[in-house]
């Protein structure tokens, strides 16, 4: 028995009966194929959420009592100024002329208050940043998906504890904290004001004008005057200008840097206005930012440009500046969330090296504000009170830290109580088993005025409480990790069984050997055991009051393994067949598995090292061209083309992930696209006699309905290049996007993507038309080198098709000479495709490589901060997050659609089942997914944690969006015709 791996071969005899059994079994198996796809989508969607239950559950719990501080409030009111998107270095450093951009706040730093860097943690988005500042806790990383929405979960904040809060600013931020707050007065500007085509500093002026008019109205409104004169008052001004200008013009632009000066002037005017209005020196001021801004005008990840924000505090209760000393700060045991260390050297260009710098975690600002106002800390706060900012005596310092400690301890006790009440076997956090005795000891030390010992013990108890909170955040880690891992393994095993049963000749082999696998197996006992196990596990989860997703994880895992065991007869037959195989079969099988795993591990590592793809395509280009050189006539030119295409594509993974602006390159890419399309058109019309191109061109098919279609598509590509130039020129000149330009851009993008449906149905004609059809949209969404990548990827995809087509004709003679292979080829699947062989595993593996290259050709898809918002400015400049996000995602999907269109055409060319290859693609994806599942981190820097989450999420979602893209691209590829199938079968026979 010879064989090609899992397929094996058949004798010619019994072919007819084998065909009957395959056809009958496929009718039964095809009925479950649709729900198998649905199961895969649901399973991956649910398991993708598991990391948030394992590592990043929401930290919010309810039911804690606020801790009332036992000291006199130093301030009657507090003014919070948040400059959205302000980087620390751009705030502190001088301009090119040596002048500092924030002269007022620098005078505060040197004469009245304290300063430092506030360290934010990813996701460095506006909402999570403001929640950390105002509520004192870090939202789980999934909060970035709700970046523009109010939090559906109620949480406590400094505003909640105030007597009254006045707030003015962005409609995306202010309503989160004041929308449902009865004791608040607030106002926001319309969304239409957030236009990226203009200088957004007027938004900051708007917020100040609102506050100024409020104070002016109070002179004629006694009720408003009374509100303003009460204690525990908070004023919050959200200043969005830096964020909008940073996105639109970059943080090194003159507009952004000038906005820093605008923010400083507003801080000065607010200070003068408040002091002249109240005249009691009882106001505290906090100036900070929610996040920074990368050089390319984005934010979201853990880069220092995004996490480092300025912090300046002054006024009532705030210490005055101190000279730099070598003494450790009182909070030096606190670790910063972005892994920075205490006493970091201050850059000399900041000009503040002689003044003590006190860095904080962003969540520390909330207890600082609460302490200045004498309010209880927000009940969910995990911030540590930064004592170096507060002008307290020793006794008051201890009381403030103790209040902070009790508030964090109350969270721990509440989480412990909730977990204990719902656990069948509860495991307590042992270090805090005797917390009450520690509290009594602290109170005793305070009563005997041993404040130093009381302070150390309070800080120690606070650290233990924070460790305890982390313990309960990951309490279910081991159980969930085990269940989800078994679920992934079960899904992969079930997928392999389905492919073997549906798309290979194994059922026919078993029939010939009388190892008959009945269509209806007696699986009642298996299903009964599975249902009983599900019932027992669900009852245990109900007793523990586990969330619904816990039930979903376990039910899916048990269901998958029940389905696997229900195929016990097929598994027995498979085992008997394997035992009868020759040794060379196992060598082939092991070699194929090893190569597959090596390639998939290469892809896993490529997520952190993009340059691996460069080496990959350099080597593949040489190897593929040498192989073709020895297999087909050199005069065909195909080996040279494959070499050049691979080497051209290898350039782009050496490019920076942050795409620099280069409008001229985008325009030149339009000319390149038209030239490539013209060459393809010429080959389609004039290469009729070449046997290596015949099945791609297929001139026997009917002529296209629209002979001028190519010229129309080329015209649209050229027109889109012109519109790229016009739209960009207007934005650079800080003019609004003209409505006519907007209409033309939308019309070109929409119309061009419909035209490929009317092209000729040969492989080369249709793929060329698809390439030209998506080019205008991609060009209009491009800002730099990614426009050239579009052409490079298309050339590589054609090289892949040419390589497979050459292999098809090189192997044709061998197949026609082998009677065994002829018999096998004669038995095909229902739609005429041949059965899968082990060697066909190269198709999904090459697809995975090219599909993942498409991830990184338009930047670093695996990083939140790589979504370049300026890409959409030729379609829309008014801030509309959902439309902008949709355009960005569609741009990223266009290269994927090219890959899948080429993949679909290739499956038709070599007559392999596309859905079977899809299942193999998902199998490869899941091998990578389970690797990334174990690479998810909950320790180390938050940049690493954020990347590990995004990598896992991308691979988990691949089963969904690959399926969606298959469905979408099927519109373009379903009527592709090739002459190779008929010619191939006839000659084989």
């Amino acid at each position: 028995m010879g064989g090609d791996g899992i397929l094996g071969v058949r004798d010619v005899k019994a072919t007819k009966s084998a065909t009957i059994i395959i056809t009958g079994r496929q009718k039964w198996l095809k009925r479950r194929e649709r729900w198998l796809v649905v199961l895969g989508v649901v399973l991956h969607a649910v398991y993708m959420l598991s990391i948030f239950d394992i590592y990043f559950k929401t930290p919010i719990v309810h039911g804690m009592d606020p801790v009332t501080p036992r000291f006199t409030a130093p301030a009657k009111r507090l003014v919070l100024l948040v400059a959205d998107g302000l980087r620390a270095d751009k705030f502190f450093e001088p301009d090119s002329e040596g002048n500092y951009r924030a002269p007022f706040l620098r005078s505060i730093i040197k004469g009245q208050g304290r300063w430092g860097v506030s360290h934010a943690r990813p996701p460095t988005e506006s909402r999570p940043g403001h929640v950390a500042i105002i509520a004192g806790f870090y939202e789980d990383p999934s909060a970035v998906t709700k970046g523009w929405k109010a939090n559906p979960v109620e949480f406590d904040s400094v505003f909640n504890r105030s007597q009254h809060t006045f707030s003015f600013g962005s409609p995306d931020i202010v309503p989160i904290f004041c929308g449902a707050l009865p004791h608040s007065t607030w106002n926001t500007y319309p969304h239409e004001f957030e236009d990226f085509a203009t200088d957004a500093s007027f938004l900051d002026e708007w917020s100040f004008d609102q506050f100024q008019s409020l104070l002016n109205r109070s002179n004629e409104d006694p009720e408003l005057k009374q509100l303003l004169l009460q204690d525990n008052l908070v004023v919050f001004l959200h200043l969005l200008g830096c964020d909008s200008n940073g996105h639109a013009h970059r943080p090194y632009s003159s507009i952004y840097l000038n906005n820093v000066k605008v923010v400083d002037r507003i801080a000065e005017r607010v200070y003068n206005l408040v002091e002249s209005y109240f005249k009691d020196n009882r106001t505290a001021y906090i100036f900070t930012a929610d996040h920074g801004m990368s050089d390319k005008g984005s934010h979201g990840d853990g880069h220092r440009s995004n996490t480092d924000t300025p912090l300046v505090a002054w006024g009532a209760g705030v210490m005055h500046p101190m000279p730099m000393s070598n003494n450790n700060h009182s909070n030096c045991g606190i670790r910063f969330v972005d892994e920075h260390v205490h006493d970091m050297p201050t850059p000399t260009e900041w000009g503040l090296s002689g003044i003590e710098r006190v860095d904080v975690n962003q969540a520390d600002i909330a207890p600082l504000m609460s302490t200045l106002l004498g309010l209880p800390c927000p009940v969910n706060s995990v911030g540590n009170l930064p004592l170096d900012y507060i002008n307290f005596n020793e006794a008051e310092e201890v009381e403030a830290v103790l209040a902070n400690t009790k508030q964090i301890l109350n969270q721990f006790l509440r989480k412990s109580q909730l977990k204990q009440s719902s656990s069948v076997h509860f495991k307590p956090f042992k270090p805090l088993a005797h917390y009450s005795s520690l509290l009594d000891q602290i109170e005793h030390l305070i009563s005997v005025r041993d404040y130093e010992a009381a302070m150390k013990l309070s800080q120690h108890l606070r650290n233990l409480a924070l460790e305890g909170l982390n313990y309960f955040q990951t309490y279910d880690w081991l159980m969930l990790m085990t269940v989800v891992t078994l679920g992934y393994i079960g899904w992969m095993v079930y997928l392999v069984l389905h492919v073997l049963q549906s798309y290979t000749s194994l059922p026919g082999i078993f029939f010939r050997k009388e190892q008959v696998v009945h269509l209806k197996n007696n699986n009642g006992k298996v299903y009964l055991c599975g249902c009983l196990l599900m019932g027992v596990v669900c009852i245990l989860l109900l007793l523990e009051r586990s969330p619904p997703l816990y039930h979903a994880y376990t039910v899916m895992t048990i269901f998958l393994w029940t389905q696997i065991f229900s195929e016990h007869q097929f598994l027995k037959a498979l085992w008997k067949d394997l035992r009868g195989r020759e040794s060379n079969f196992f060598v082939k099988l092991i070699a194929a598995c090893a190569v597959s795993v090596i390639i998939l591990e290469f892809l896993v590592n490529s997520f952190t090292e993009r340059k691996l793809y460069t080496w990959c395509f350099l080597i593949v280009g040489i190897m593929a061209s040498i192989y073709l050189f020895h297999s087909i006539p050199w005069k065909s030119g195909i080996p040279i083309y494959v070499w050049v295409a691979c080497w051209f594509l290898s350039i782009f993974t050496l490019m920076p992930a942050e795409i620099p602006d280069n409008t001229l390159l985008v325009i030149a890419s339009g000319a390149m696209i038209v030239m490539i399309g013209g060459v393809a058109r010429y080959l389609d019309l004039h290469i009729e006699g070449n046997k290596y191109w015949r099945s791609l061109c297929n001139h026997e098919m009917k002529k296209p309905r629209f002979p001028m279609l190519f010229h129309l598509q080329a015209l649209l590509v050229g027109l889109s290049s012109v519109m790229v130039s016009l739209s960009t020129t207007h934005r650079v000149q800080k003019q609004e996007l003209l409505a006519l330009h907007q209409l033309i851009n939308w019309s070109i993008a929409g119309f061009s993507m419909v035209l490929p449906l009317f092209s000729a149905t040969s492989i080369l004609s249709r793929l060329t038309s698809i390439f030209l059809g998506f080019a205008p949209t991609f060009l209009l969404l491009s800002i730099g080198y990614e426009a050239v990548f579009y052409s490079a990827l298309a050339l590589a995809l054609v090289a892949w098709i040419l390589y497979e087509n050459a292999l098809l004709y090189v192997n044709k003679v061998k197949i026609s000479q082998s009677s065994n292979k002829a018999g096998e080829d004669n038995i095909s699947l229902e739609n005429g495709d041949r059965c899968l062989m082990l060697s066909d595993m190269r198709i999904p593996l090459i697809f995975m490589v090219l599909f993942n290259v498409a991830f990184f050709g338009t930047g670093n898809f695996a990083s939140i901060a790589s979504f370049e918002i300026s890409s959409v400015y030729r379609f829309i400049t008014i801030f509309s997050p959902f439309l902008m996000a949709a355009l960005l995602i569609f741009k990223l999907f266009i290269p994927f659609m090219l890959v899948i269109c080429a993949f679909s055409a290739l499956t038709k060319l070599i007559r392999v089942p596309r859905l079977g290859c899809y299942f193999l693609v998902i199998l490869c994806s899941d091998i990578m997914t389970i690797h990334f599942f174990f690479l998810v981190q909950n320790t180390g820097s938050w940049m690493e944690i954020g990347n590990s989450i995004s990598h896992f999420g991308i691979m988990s979602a691949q089963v969904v969006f690959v399926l969606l893209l298959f469905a979408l691209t099927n519109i373009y590829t379903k009527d592709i015709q090739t002459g190779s199938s008929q010619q191939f079968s006839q000659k084989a026979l």
Side-chain angles (χ1 to χ4, degrees):
M1 179 188 296
D4 190 2
I6 58 172
L7 234 199
V9 295
R10 283 188 288 280
D11 299 326
V12 181
K13 57 186 179 180
T15 293
K16 185 175 181 179
S17 54
T19 305
I20 294 172
I21 191 65
I22 289 178
T23 303
R25 184 164 183 80
Q26 282 180 347
K27 288 180 180 179
W28 174 69
L29 291 170
K30 289 295 180 183
R31 288 198 296 267
R32 73 177 183 181
E33 201 137 67
R34 185 170 297 175
W35 72 259
L36 182 64
V37 170
V38 173
L39 174 66
V41 171
V42 173
L43 179 140
H44 285 79
V46 172
Y47 281 175
M48 186 162 56
L49 299 174
S50 67
I51 62 166
F52 298 109
D53 277 325
I54 295 172
Y55 300 105
F56 308 108
K57 290 192 298 185
T58 176
I60 298 174
V61 289
H62 299 285
M64 295 85 66
D65 294 325
V67 179
T68 304
R70 300 182 300 196
F71 54 83
T72 304
K76 288 183 65 175
R77 68 199 66 85
L78 182 135
V79 177
L80 173 63
L81 304 173
V82 178
D84 201 308
L86 178 57
R87 277 170 55 159
D89 57 346
K90 301 301 180 186
F91 175 77
F92 290 117
E93 70 186 14
D95 58 22
S96 57
E97 299 177 357
N99 300 318
Y100 291 101
R101 302 185 183 100
F104 169 72
L105 289 170
R106 287 185 69 84
S107 68
I108 293 294
I109 292 171
K110 292 182 176 181
Q112 286 184 253
R114 301 287 269 165
W115 78 284
V117 172
S118 170
H119 297 276
R121 118 178 163 179
T124 43
E125 297 285 344
S126 292
R127 192 189 78 136
H130 281 87
V131 169
I133 293 169
I134 300 169
F137 69 91
Y138 301 103
E139 293 190 289
D140 54 290
S142 63
V144 72
T145 63
K146 300 174 288 198
W148 297 284
K149 296 181 182 178
N151 197 322
V153 179
E154 293 184 2
F155 55 78
D156 194 19
S157 71
V158 176
F159 296 174
N160 292 30
R161 296 293 159 193
S162 68
Q163 286 293 322
H164 200 88
T165 294
F166 296 92
S167 181
F168 306 102
S170 167
D172 305 310
I173 297 300
V174 171
I176 295 175
F177 301 94
C178 300
L181 193 63
H183 56 276
S184 65
T185 302
W186 57 279
N187 195 12
T188 64
Y189 39 78
H191 278 287
E192 291 74 25
F193 280 25
E194 301 176 36
D195 188 347
F196 291 121
T198 61
D199 183 350
S201 59
F202 77 95
L203 300 177
D204 301 345
E205 298 285 356
W206 184 95
S207 298
F208 172 77
D209 292 342
Q210 290 288 309
F211 178 56
Q212 186 177 40
S213 63
L214 176 82
L215 296 184
N216 292 336
R217 286 201 317 272
S218 69
N219 294 323
E220 301 173 0
D221 186 344
E223 187 176 343
L224 179 57
K225 184 87 170 179
Q226 187 62 34
L227 279 177
L228 287 165
L229 291 177
Q230 63 185 338
D231 292 350
N232 298 331
L233 187 75
V234 175
V235 176
F236 169 47
L237 298 186
H238 177 253
L239 311 176
L240 185 65
C242 287
D243 185 73
S244 295
N245 285 328
H247 285 312
H249 309 290
R250 307 295 188 270
Y252 48 79
S253 65
S254 59
I255 290 183
Y256 180 91
L257 300 176
N258 181 68
N259 208 145
V260 179
K261 300 177 183 178
V262 172
V263 165
D264 181 71
R265 287 197 297 269
I266 288 176
E268 182 178 16
R269 291 158 68 193
V270 167
Y271 174 71
N272 293 332
L273 188 64
V274 170
E275 292 301 312
S276 63
Y277 185 89
F278 293 103
K279 301 176 183 176
D280 59 0
N281 295 323
R282 293 291 304 280
T283 306
Y285 301 86
I286 301 287
F287 175 87
T288 188
D290 55 345
H291 56 73
M293 184 77 63
S294 71
D295 285 339
K296 66 170 188 170
S298 64
H299 52 85
D301 64 15
H303 192 272
R304 283 193 59 180
S305 62
N306 292 331
T307 60
D308 286 4
T309 62
L311 175 62
V312 182
W314 75 99
V318 180
M319 288 183 68
H320 282 245
M322 295 182 64
M324 197 68 190
S325 66
N326 294 324
N327 296 330
N328 291 332
H329 297 307
S330 58
N331 61 346
C332 61
I334 307 303
R335 292 179 65 86
F336 291 127
V337 292
D338 55 357
E339 296 296 300
H340 290 177
V341 296
H342 281 269
D343 300 315
M344 292 182 64
T346 301
T348 54
E349 61 268 22
W350 290 8
L352 298 171
S353 300
I355 304 173
E356 187 178 45
R357 163 182 168 180
V358 184
D359 287 7
V360 300
N361 288 322
Q362 195 172 60
D364 299 344
I365 298 174
L368 171 62
M369 294 191 293
S370 296
T371 301
L372 291 172
L373 289 171
L375 297 172
C377 290
V379 294
N380 289 115
S381 171
V382 293
N384 294 287
L385 177 64
L387 286 175
D388 293 294
Y389 276 85
I390 301 177
N391 188 17
F392 275 0
N393 60 39
E394 200 172 8
E396 289 173 328
E397 284 185 350
V398 173
E399 289 291 355
V401 171
L402 181 58
N404 183 204
T405 299
K406 287 180 177 179
Q407 169 264 320
I408 295 175
L409 182 63
N410 282 351
Q411 288 184 73
F412 162 79
L413 295 175
R414 179 60 178 161
K415 288 194 174 186
S416 178
Q417 178 189 357
L418 290 173
K419 182 55 68 177
Q420 185 173 6
S421 65
S422 62
S423 294
V424 176
H425 177 64
F426 176 68
K427 294 176 287 184
F429 182 64
K430 294 180 180 179
L432 281 177
H434 305 289
Y435 71 91
S436 56
S437 62
L438 291 175
L439 285 175
D440 293 339
Q441 191 176 350
I442 293 170
E443 294 290 354
H444 172 71
L445 291 171
I446 292 174
S447 65
V448 300
R449 299 187 178 182
D450 189 352
Y451 298 125
E452 184 179 353
M455 177 68 75
K456 289 181 179 179
L457 196 55
S458 296
Q459 291 174 337
H460 174 65
L461 181 57
R462 182 176 62 186
N463 292 337
L464 287 178
L466 288 170
E467 290 177 16
L469 288 176
N470 182 67
Y471 171 79
F472 284 113
Q473 282 293 103
T474 58
Y475 186 85
D476 298 322
W477 183 86
L478 182 60
M479 182 272 288
L480 291 175
M481 199 82 165
T482 304
V483 169
V484 173
T485 301
L486 287 174
Y488 274 119
I489 295 174
W491 165 255
M492 289 189 288
V493 171
Y494 191 48
L495 213 55
V496 170
L497 291 178
H498 177 73
V499 170
L500 292 177
Q501 292 174 323
S502 302
Y503 299 107
T504 71
S505 58
L506 275 176
I509 296 174
F510 298 160
F511 176 84
R512 190 182 72 249
K513 292 183 176 181
E514 298 180 355
Q515 299 169 342
V516 181
V517 182
H518 299 288
L519 294 181
K520 293 184 179 179
N521 294 324
N522 184 17
N523 295 318
K525 293 181 180 179
V526 175
Y527 289 128
L528 178 62
C529 292
C531 289
L532 288 175
L533 183 58
M534 276 187 204
V536 171
V537 171
C538 287
I539 290 172
L540 287 174
L541 292 174
L542 284 171
L543 290 175
E544 294 204 345
R545 301 176 199 169
S546 298
L549 279 176
Y550 284 28
H551 294 262
Y553 304 147
T554 53
V555 166
M556 283 186 177
T557 300
I558 295 172
F559 172 78
L560 284 168
W561 283 100
T562 302
Q563 291 297 114
I564 291 169
F565 286 119
S566 71
E567 298 291 343
H568 57 91
Q569 293 193 29
F570 182 82
L571 290 170
K572 287 180 182 177
L574 181 62
W575 174 248
K576 289 180 181 178
D577 183 71
L578 288 174
R579 291 175 62 184
R581 296 276 183 165
E582 297 177 0
S583 58
N584 64 341
F585 161 77
F586 292 102
V587 172
K588 289 182 181 180
L589 183 61
I590 293 171
C593 292
V595 170
S596 300
V597 170
I598 289 171
I599 292 174
L600 295 175
E601 287 301 304
F602 163 83
L603 293 177
V604 168
N605 287 293
S606 71
F607 273 69
T608 54
E609 188 55 59
R610 296 165 66 237
K611 294 179 182 179
L612 288 174
Y613 287 113
T614 299
W615 289 105
C616 170
F617 282 99
L618 288 175
I619 295 171
V620 167
I622 295 173
M623 293 176 62
S625 59
I626 291 175
Y627 178 81
L628 291 177
F629 172 74
H630 290 290
S631 303
I632 63 177
W634 182 255
K635 63 181 180 180
S636 70
I638 292 176
I640 296 177
Y641 172 80
V642 171
W643 190 340
V644 172
C646 289
W647 279 36
F648 185 30
L649 186 60
S650 70
I651 297 171
F652 292 90
T653 43
L654 293 174
M655 300 287 189
E658 298 181 354
I659 302 173
D661 288 352
N662 194 329
T663 306
L664 290 177
L665 189 60
V666 177
I667 296 170
S669 299
M672 182 187 301
I673 289 168
V674 173
M675 184 174 67
I676 292 172
V679 172
R681 174 73 172 168
Y682 175 83
L683 291 173
D684 194 29
L685 295 174
H686 299 93
I687 203 161
E688 198 168 346
N690 191 315
K691 62 181 180 180
Y692 295 106
W693 289 83
R694 189 181 301 125
S695 60
L696 303 183
C697 302
N698 202 10
H699 293 276
E700 298 173 3
M701 299 177 190
K702 62 181 181 180
K703 298 300 180 183
R705 287 175 288 175
F706 303 102
M708 300 299 292
L709 180 64
F710 168 77
H711 302 89
L712 177 58
Q713 289 188 297
L715 178 64
L716 288 175
V717 174
L719 184 57
S720 65
S721 298
V722 173
M723 294 310 300
V724 165
S725 177
L726 288 176
S727 302
T728 305
T729 301
H730 272 75
R731 186 168 67 85
V732 170
Q733 295 174 353
K734 302 178 181 58
Q735 299 176 8
E736 293 186 9
L737 180 64
L738 297 180
L740 178 62
H741 290 178
Q742 207 168 354
L743 177 63
I744 293 173
N745 290 344
W746 280 101
S747 301
I748 291 172
F751 184 58
S752 65
M753 290 187 292
V754 178
L755 294 179
L757 298 174
F758 303 98
S759 63
T761 56
S762 65
I763 289 180
L764 188 58
S765 295
R766 180 55 59 90
L767 291 183
T768 302
S769 185
I770 292 171
F771 169 67
L772 293 173
F774 283 102
T777 308
F778 196 79
L779 287 175
L780 289 168
L781 288 168
S782 296
I783 62 170
Y785 71 76
E786 80 271 32
V788 185
F789 169 79
Y790 181 80
S791 298
L793 180 64
L795 292 173
L797 292 172
V798 173
W800 181 26
I801 293 174
L802 290 173
Y803 179 82
E804 292 291 342
N805 188 50
L807 288 184
L808 188 69
Y809 281 91
V810 166
N811 293 329
K812 183 175 63 176
V813 176
K814 298 178 183 178
I815 294 173
S816 62
Q817 292 174 350
S818 171
S819 60
N820 285 341
K821 288 283 184 179
E824 179 184 324
D825 220 50
N826 191 31
I827 299 176
S828 58
L829 303 175
E830 287 180 343
N831 57 359
D833 292 330
R834 63 174 174 80
C835 294
L836 285 173
M837 299 183 291
L838 185 61
S839 59
D840 292 325
M841 192 64 197
R842 73 183 184 280
I843 305 298
L845 288 172
I846 295 173
F847 172 85
M848 288 292 295
V849 173
L850 291 168
F851 196 80
N852 280 275
V853 166
F855 272 134
F856 301 103
T858 52
N860 184 5
F861 189 91
S863 172
I864 294 171
S866 291
F867 292 84
E868 182 54 69
I869 198 169
S870 63
S871 301
V872 305
Y873 288 163
R874 300 182 189 112
F875 290 95
I876 182 173
T877 58
I878 303 297
F879 183 66
S880 177
F882 297 106
L883 179 57
M884 288 178 166
L887 288 170
L888 285 171
I889 291 171
F890 186 71
K891 173 195 174 182
L892 295 168
F893 274 9
I894 287 175
F896 303 152
M897 295 176 73
L898 288 187
V899 176
I900 292 179
C901 285
F903 175 79
S904 300
L906 189 63
T907 57
K908 292 196 174 191
L909 179 68
I910 63 176
R911 301 191 309 118
V912 293
R914 190 175 76 144
L915 197 55
C917 289
Y918 164 75
F919 285 128
L920 291 177
V921 167
I922 298 308
L923 178 66
C924 294
S925 297
D926 284 328
I927 293 172
M928 295 175 63
T929 300
I930 203 167
H931 190 143
F932 281 124
F933 181 67
F934 287 106
L935 290 179
V936 172
Q937 301 179 35
N938 66 345
T939 57
S941 75
W942 271 90
M943 184 176 180
E944 295 170 339
I945 293 173
N947 283 340
S948 70
I949 294 171
S950 63
H951 296 166
F952 172 74
I954 287 169
M955 293 312 303
S956 296
Q958 206 165 95
V959 66
V960 180
F961 65 71
V962 168
L963 180 65
L964 293 176
L965 290 175
F966 262 85
L968 184 61
T969 55
N970 192 53
I971 300 172
Y972 295 97
T973 60
K974 64 181 178 182
D975 55 349
I976 287 180
Q977 298 177 27
T978 172
S980 66
S981 288
Q982 190 174 4
Q983 298 163 7
F984 185 86
S985 296
Q986 289 173 351
K987 296 196 176 185
L989 288 170

